[in-house]
Amino acid sequence: MNDGWNTDRAEPIAVGGGPTRSERRRAARQAQVKRRRRVALTAILVVFLVVVGTVLWTMRHSLLGNGGSPEDYASGTAGPQVVVHITGTNNSDFAQSLVDAGVVKSVAAFNQAAGNKPISAGYYELRKTLPASEVVDMMTDPARSHRVGMVNVPAGAQLDDKRGKDNKVARGILSQISAATAHTSDGVKTQIPAAEFVKVAATASPTDLGVPQWALGTVNRMKGDHRRIEGLIAPGVWEEIDPSGSPVSILKGLISQSAKQYEAQGLLSASRTSAAKLDPYEVLVSSSIVEREVNQADDYPKVARVILNRLAKNQKLEMDSTVNYTEAVTSIDVRGEQLLKKTEWNTYSKTGLPATPIGAVGIPALVATENPAPGPWLYFVTVDSKGTTLFTDDFAQHERNRQTACDNKFLTVGCAK
């Protein structure tokens, strides 16, 4: 008979299967622990919310005025001019650069004024203590009148200024870089003269100029001639030229970054033909001729092939563009006395490639030289102002093609009367 007491255990058992006293105590302790945890978590949450609220209030107070608007400078309080290097990847980053320079008063004011307007990083000539809206207008001006330290180098551009037969002057890369350094800071106007860049290009060590290994041979050999760095500055919009930098540091930045661009396009691993094996620097030189000889990119691979075919035959290239390189006035109609000039670039008077590239090499011309079109061509001539160019491997046909250019009045020298 069992009356609810277990004689083998020192605690009562539940009648009808209920929890024992020990189990009830354990449950009570667990409930108490859970209550304490809830209280502790609640306390932590309260502290966290207080801290977050304090931080947000502080940020709002620092960025906004008493009326809830961002802190901003009033119109008409502009201070002295200053060059600001805008860095980062978004408007908040740009705003911080401006705040640090004393141009705008708060990040919030700039972000509010900027909205979704596209703004670029780079160097800007602005004034201190300007309203954010005025700063945004200056930075988004289509004329870029407040940008400094920016150069747009077109494909084919040369280091020196060149005058055409129409008397128009094509500004050289070194003149453009000089103009990009012009700025006013604290009332003082400053600009590095183009002559300083010419001097540095001719005399600075290749290491200081950032010259890549594959161009060292020519650059070392031609010390004293600034044209030794021709072609080592690639085409493109260069937006990060420090107008307060030295001529050496500016050229080094441009040359080293250009080398990376060329190498990224396969310059170091360009396929070589069995007819003429070119090293990377020679590929760049050849590409510069391709760039200057024709104005239709579709013709680039054919011109590249003509150059390779002539080199393979040890035949003079006889490219008008190489004659024009050293001329004070350039013309598509080169004349007899010009063809006879003995220079390191005139491929009428010397066999092989010119001493250096004859201009800035664009990517299409470089790729075409790395991948020339298959063909036997040895001659080509552009026959009209549209850029139509005829190719042949027969000299007699070339003469007929050239007469077509004469008939179109595109050429005048050497034409049948």
Side-chain angles (χ1 to χ4, degrees), residues 65-387:
N66 295 330
S69 298
E71 287 190 327
D72 202 357
Y73 291 117
S75 182
T77 61
Q81 288 174 305
V82 60
V83 173
V84 185
H85 187 196
I86 305 299
T87 60
T89 58
N90 54 57
N91 284 354
S92 292
D93 293 339
F94 302 159
Q96 192 59 57
S97 297
L98 294 164
V99 170
D100 294 342
V103 174
V104 300
K105 197 166 189 178
S106 69
V107 171
F110 181 82
N111 283 342
Q112 185 179 82
N116 295 322
K117 295 179 181 178
I119 297 176
S120 301
Y123 289 89
Y124 290 81
E125 185 178 276
L126 303 167
R127 288 186 177 275
K128 290 188 174 183
T129 62
L130 285 174
S133 59
E134 292 184 19
V135 174
V136 169
D137 289 343
M138 292 176 178
M139 295 179 69
T140 56
D141 174 16
R144 295 176 171 175
S145 55
H146 294 274
R147 288 297 300 268
V148 292
M150 184 173 71
V151 170
N152 186 1
V153 178
Q158 298 175 334
L159 292 175
D160 297 327
D161 296 352
K162 287 297 175 71
R163 186 179 299 278
K165 287 188 68 175
D166 57 3
N167 212 34
K168 292 182 179 179
V169 175
R171 295 183 67 193
I173 296 173
L174 297 184
S175 290
Q176 291 184 58
I177 296 172
S178 170
T181 67
H183 67 282
T184 301
S185 183
D186 293 327
V188 179
K189 294 183 178 180
T190 306
Q191 179 176 351
I192 301 174
E196 286 296 309
F197 288 103
V198 171
K199 178 181 177 181
V200 165
T203 61
S205 75
T207 299
D208 289 342
L209 290 173
V211 175
Q213 185 70 32
W214 43 264
L216 283 179
T218 296
V219 173
N220 281 321
R221 180 177 66 82
M222 296 186 65
K223 184 176 181 180
D225 190 330
H226 70 283
R227 292 171 294 186
R228 64 184 181 152
I229 68 165
E230 187 74 84
L232 297 184
I233 298 176
V237 179
W238 298 95
E239 300 186 273
E240 294 289 331
I241 298 173
D242 184 353
S244 299
S246 68
V248 171
S249 65
I250 290 172
L251 288 180
K252 181 176 184 178
L254 291 170
I255 291 173
S256 59
Q257 291 177 64
S258 296
K260 291 179 181 178
Q261 287 189 22
Y262 288 141
E263 291 167 12
Q265 291 298 323
L267 180 64
L268 300 184
S269 58
S271 60
R272 307 292 179 247
T273 69
S274 59
K277 296 183 181 297
L278 305 182
D279 64 32
Y281 187 73
E282 290 171 332
V283 170
L284 195 67
V285 175
S286 183
S287 300
S288 72
I289 299 174
V290 171
E291 187 79 65
R292 299 283 299 189
E293 279 292 325
V294 290
N295 59 19
Q296 300 290 339
D298 288 345
D299 291 328
Y300 287 173
K302 287 186 176 182
V303 176
R305 175 54 64 188
V306 170
I307 293 172
L308 292 176
N309 287 346
R310 288 198 172 196
L311 290 174
K313 291 170 64 69
N314 203 33
Q315 179 179 344
K316 288 180 179 178
L317 296 183
E318 297 184 337
M319 301 289 176
D320 293 355
S321 59
T322 66
V323 178
N324 274 316
Y325 179 71
T326 55
E327 291 294 309
V329 178
T330 61
S331 169
I332 61 170
D333 245 351
V334 294
R335 299 178 180 273
E337 65 274 13
Q338 296 171 311
L339 305 180
L340 298 176
K341 288 184 179 179
K342 294 188 179 299
T343 74
E344 290 204 61
W345 291 271
N346 184 359
T347 57
Y348 278 91
S349 64
K350 66 169 290 186
T351 302
L353 292 166
T356 70
I358 58 172
V361 178
I363 298 306
L366 178 61
V367 172
T369 304
E370 293 171 347
N371 304 277
W377 313 293
L378 290 170
Y379 311 96
F380 66 91
V381 60
T382 301
V383 298
D384 57 35
S385 59
K386 296 178 182 179

